[in-house]
Amino acid sequence: MTADSVALARSPKSLPLDERSIWLRRLVVDALVGGERGHVGSSMSPIEILRVLYDDVLRHRPSEPGWSLRDRCILSKGHGCLALYALLADKGYFPTDLLKTFCRKGSILGGHPEHGKVPGVEASTGALGHGLSIGVGMALAARMQKRDSRVFVIMGDGEINEGSVWEAALSAGKHKLSNLVAIIDYNKIQSAGATAHIQELEPLLDKWRAFGFAAEEVDGHDVAKLQKLFARVPLDAGRPTAIVCHTVKGKGLPFAEHDPEWHHKSKVTAELGERLYAALEPR
Amino acid sequence: MRQTCVNMVYELAKADDRVVFIGSDLSPGLLAGMQEQFPDRWYMEGVSEQNVIGMAAGMALDGAIPYVNTIATFITRRCYEQVAVDLCVHDLPVRLIANGGGLVYAPLGPTHEAIEDIAIMRALPNMTVVAPADAEEMKRFMAVSVDWPHPIYIRLGKGGDRVVTRPEHGFAIGQAYLLREAEGGKSNPVLLVGTGVATTQALQAAEMLAADGIACHVLHMPTVKPLDVAAIEKYARASRLVVTVEEHTVIGGLGSAVTDALVERFDGRVPRIRRIGIPDVFASDYGNQEWLMETFGLHAANIADVVRKAVGSD
């Protein structure tokens, strides 16, 4: 098991994490250990994106998940749900203790997030390429109902291989949905290997711009930069926004970073759990 | 039936601001009045069925009631995962208006013939499947469709279909209607069960059979799911033969649903059954809908023949 050299070369330098980012990753590990399985790499890459959204950007009320004026946040790459569960638990949508029940009988927390079951989950995702269309519908509904809610949709880089994503992008561009923000967790690795080898996405920013989006890129683990960029959303008052976040698959776990073998683990033993916690000792 | 259906969307939209129309790439000028009056509730989104279904789901999650319209094969086959996950898993009130159910698009070949749409739609949990027989019934159905809390698949006939349903019946989703009662109060009649425009053929067959002294009930099932099992049980119990008729493959449609219900309700002592539908093939000819229906034996004369043969071997 080794880091993929192409993904490594194309990713931002992996800088140390602050206490909050480490704490959130430890919550993810609680769930991985409790469920003895899970998408490790895919859940570690979008944590700062979700952290900045829920801490600084989204208008939301954890005690009232159905509040109609809230901003909507859809994790379209549903397999990265442990990152979303960690944030939702941390924010008080449900107790952090529940994370340990991940994928267990009777749990509300499955291997993909379900709307109506998990407070704060806006749409059931897991089948890839669905979230952006749902987001387009929500953004249009907000416009129809004269709400100023915004809709944020987080997609994986492998996910945007799906043609449906680009159908949705056409629609968003046509309707000039300035209340819609497409976010790409661009960790450069999909299940089978480097995106550069499986299905090249470059030039990715140009693609979003060509579909009518105002698009920018950012280091998806740099909290200050993410805060600064999201504060400027919409990037253009007459167009939807796309933010390509350069991230590191497995971020925070040195032995897992950039390694496709860590996309998913179906046997997280107690021993492996210890290793994961040890890698996330606060510095 | 098709025009009536989309016109009804406009009528519903006037009375209820949750109602939205979303088409893919339909006729120019379709619902132009609605587009003008409610520009933020009328959408023509292009040839992108997956996106259209997801979009409708997003709107419905925020309280809208979208009526989505395109050709039946495309709204079922092309975006099956979106229908399953976005609509059915979330159990949202989105309505799928499917142009050309069955063999309507006969001249256009198998890419456009929706022969298994009922089967694949009724297999999905939470989905409701409705196939009215004529425009008048369509109107009555559409009026009650708004407040149904689940997704609905609406199968359209060609248009100009003979009106055989009755206004006094009204329309309730999930209810079957007896359109013809076996004459003379004869005991042991034959029960013909139809859905969509196939019911019209069943009614004609019943006429023909009456002349031969074979009395038939004709039970119309505009809702294939949820199935009115009580009605089937009631009429089948006294019948010597049950014949289902549908413009659909014999696999998984009305005939399968009725058979399943009979097997379960009659504890194995099932009445004799004949299922008339499209055999397990794609159509290999063109022509028109009537011609292909005849080719597959979905016309009144053949239905009557099937009954005569079955009854003759009593």
Side-chain angles (χ1 to χ4, degrees):
Chain A
M1 291 188 279
T2 50
D4 181 276
S5 58
V6 181
L8 182 61
R10 285 187 176 191
S11 295
K13 191 163 173 262
S14 192
L15 298 170
L17 297 166
D18 67 9
E19 263 182 48
R20 177 149 176 74
S21 281
I22 290 173
W23 156 252
L24 291 167
R25 281 177 172 75
R26 289 179 72 89
L27 291 179
V28 170
V29 175
D30 285 346
L32 284 167
V33 171
E36 298 176 34
R37 60 179 303 125
H39 283 87
V40 184
S42 324
S43 297
M44 293 297 176
S45 61
I47 286 188
E48 281 66 41
I49 299 170
L50 285 159
R51 166 185 165 179
V52 170
L53 285 176
Y54 280 89
D55 282 359
D56 306 307
V57 180
L58 295 176
R59 184 167 59 177
H60 68 124
R61 291 179 179 167
S63 59
E64 193 186 351
W67 178 42
S68 68
L69 299 181
R70 72 193 185 280
D71 291 329
R72 274 69 168 162
C73 177
I74 299 170
L75 183 69
S76 190
K77 52 168 280 185
H79 59 287
C81 60
L82 288 177
L84 178 62
Y85 294 163
L87 256 304
L88 292 176
D90 175 74
K91 286 291 172 190
Y93 281 91
F94 55 84
T96 49
D97 279 357
L98 283 188
L99 291 168
K100 297 189 181 95
T101 69
F102 178 61
C103 284
R104 297 279 179 189
K105 287 174 192 162
S107 178
I108 60 165
L109 304 176
H112 294 99
E114 289 194 60
H115 172 76
K117 206 180 241 188
V118 188
V121 168
E122 297 285 1
S124 300
T125 54
L128 296 174
H130 291 230
L132 193 57
S133 290
I134 293 174
V136 166
M138 287 179 171
L140 286 167
R143 192 182 268 185
M144 244 181 266
Q145 296 159 5
K146 307 199 183 341
R147 279 185 284 110
D148 61 356
S149 306
R150 297 173 300 173
V151 184
F152 297 80
V153 180
I154 303 165
M155 290 169 280
D157 46 15
E159 173 177 18
I160 63 174
N161 294 172
E162 290 283 7
S164 55
V165 170
W166 302 100
E167 290 185 5
L170 281 171
S171 256
K174 165 188 152 179
H175 293 294
K176 305 187 190 311
L177 291 174
S178 55
N179 56 349
L180 179 71
V181 183
I183 301 166
I184 317 304
D185 174 14
Y186 194 13
N187 59 35
K188 323 291 187 296
I189 292 177
Q190 54 195 113
S191 184
T195 54
H197 295 144
I198 307 303
Q199 189 61 274
E200 176 64 280
L201 299 168
E202 292 298 335
L204 188 54
L205 271 177
D206 290 347
K207 286 188 172 73
W208 288 100
R209 286 175 181 147
F211 278 74
F213 286 65
E216 288 198 24
E217 57 192 330
V218 65
D219 178 339
H221 299 299
D222 188 323
V223 172
K225 282 184 185 159
L226 284 166
Q227 285 167 331
K228 210 171 151 193
L229 182 54
F230 277 119
R232 288 173 43 218
V233 163
L235 298 179
D236 181 324
R239 285 190 288 168
T241 296
I243 297 181
V244 173
C245 297
H246 295 285
T247 56
V248 172
K249 190 130 181 170
K251 172 72 181 177
L253 305 169
F255 43 86
E257 291 185 357
H258 305 294
D259 187 346
E261 293 288 335
W262 282 87
H263 174 79
H264 179 262
K265 288 288 175 197
S266 53
K267 279 182 191 146
V268 176
T269 58
E271 192 189 349
L272 180 54
E274 288 309 311
R275 234 182 122 199
L276 295 171
Y277 281 121
L280 293 167
E281 280 301 322
R283 287 156 199 151
Chain B
M1 189 189 296
R2 175 180 166 187
Q3 200 54 49
T4 302
C5 183
V6 293
N7 288 346
M8 278 299 289
V9 176
Y10 184 16
E11 291 307 311
L12 297 172
K14 289 176 189 166
D16 191 326
D17 63 10
R18 296 171 302 168
V19 172
V20 173
F21 177 82
I22 311 176
S24 59
D25 189 21
L26 305 167
S27 318
L30 185 78
L31 290 184
M34 181 173 177
Q35 180 185 13
E36 201 182 318
Q37 195 176 346
F38 307 115
D40 60 343
R41 291 195 279 139
W42 180 97
Y43 297 90
M44 195 61 74
E45 286 304 295
V47 190
S48 57
E49 292 79 9
Q50 299 179 81
N51 177 54
V52 162
I53 300 297
M55 204 175 119
M59 289 180 179
L61 278 163
D62 277 334
I65 302 176
Y67 287 73
V68 180
N69 182 207
T70 189
I71 289 175
T73 50
F74 307 153
I75 211 170
T76 54
R77 294 174 182 166
R78 186 55 173 249
C79 47
Y80 194 63
E81 188 181 89
Q82 277 76 12
V83 172
V85 176
D86 301 352
L87 304 189
C88 293
V89 170
H90 291 84
D91 196 9
L92 295 173
V94 173
R95 289 76 180 89
L96 306 177
I97 302 173
N99 295 352
L103 302 165
V104 168
Y105 289 118
L108 305 183
T111 57
H112 283 60
E113 288 157 3
I115 59 170
E116 82 298 344
D117 54 333
I118 293 175
I120 62 178
M121 289 294 114
R122 72 178 268 270
L124 294 171
N126 296 327
M127 181 59 88
T128 293
V129 179
V130 175
D134 55 48
E136 292 303 311
E137 186 175 47
M138 176 61 78
K139 215 181 278 178
R140 294 193 292 275
F141 155 68
M142 286 294 281
V144 300
S145 67
V146 180
D147 291 321
W148 187 250
H150 311 289
I152 311 176
Y153 177 71
I154 306 166
R155 191 187 216 222
L156 300 192
K158 188 177 189 174
D161 309 280
R162 212 179 97 200
V163 175
V164 296
T165 60
R166 298 192 209 130
E168 63 269 26
H169 280 151
F171 196 99
I173 292 171
Q175 194 174 319
Y177 299 98
L178 193 70
L179 295 187
R180 180 189 175 104
E181 195 164 2
E183 48 281 308
K186 280 196 178 179
S187 61
N188 235 6
V190 171
L191 174 62
L192 303 181
V193 186
T195 190
V197 297
T199 293
T200 309
Q201 299 297 321
L203 283 164
Q204 286 173 19
E207 283 287 323
M208 295 171 181
L209 289 162
D212 298 346
I214 302 173
C216 300
H217 286 314
V218 178
L219 187 65
H220 175 46
M221 309 211 69
T223 311
V224 182
K225 184 188 176 184
L227 195 71
D228 188 347
V229 176
I232 292 170
E233 186 178 357
K234 176 181 168 190
Y235 294 109
R237 200 165 280 286
S239 299
R240 56 175 156 164
L241 173 70
V242 177
V243 179
T244 61
V245 190
E246 61 194 311
E247 190 185 354
H248 183 271
T249 167
V250 289
I251 298 172
L254 177 73
S256 295
V258 168
T259 307
D260 289 351
L262 290 174
V263 167
E264 284 175 15
R265 288 297 177 106
F266 285 59
D267 196 21
R269 293 180 293 279
V270 179
R272 300 175 65 213
I273 305 171
R274 295 288 184 277
R275 290 182 293 188
I276 300 176
I278 301 168
D280 188 18
V281 294
F282 290 104
S284 58
D285 199 2
Y286 305 106
N288 57 31
Q289 181 188 17
E290 292 69 29
W291 164 242
L292 283 190
M293 282 180 77
E294 265 187 60
T295 307
F296 290 128
L298 299 173
H299 56 308
N302 184 60
I303 297 166
D305 272 352
V306 169
V307 171
R308 281 189 206 101
K309 275 182 200 145
V311 169
S313 62
D314 262 357

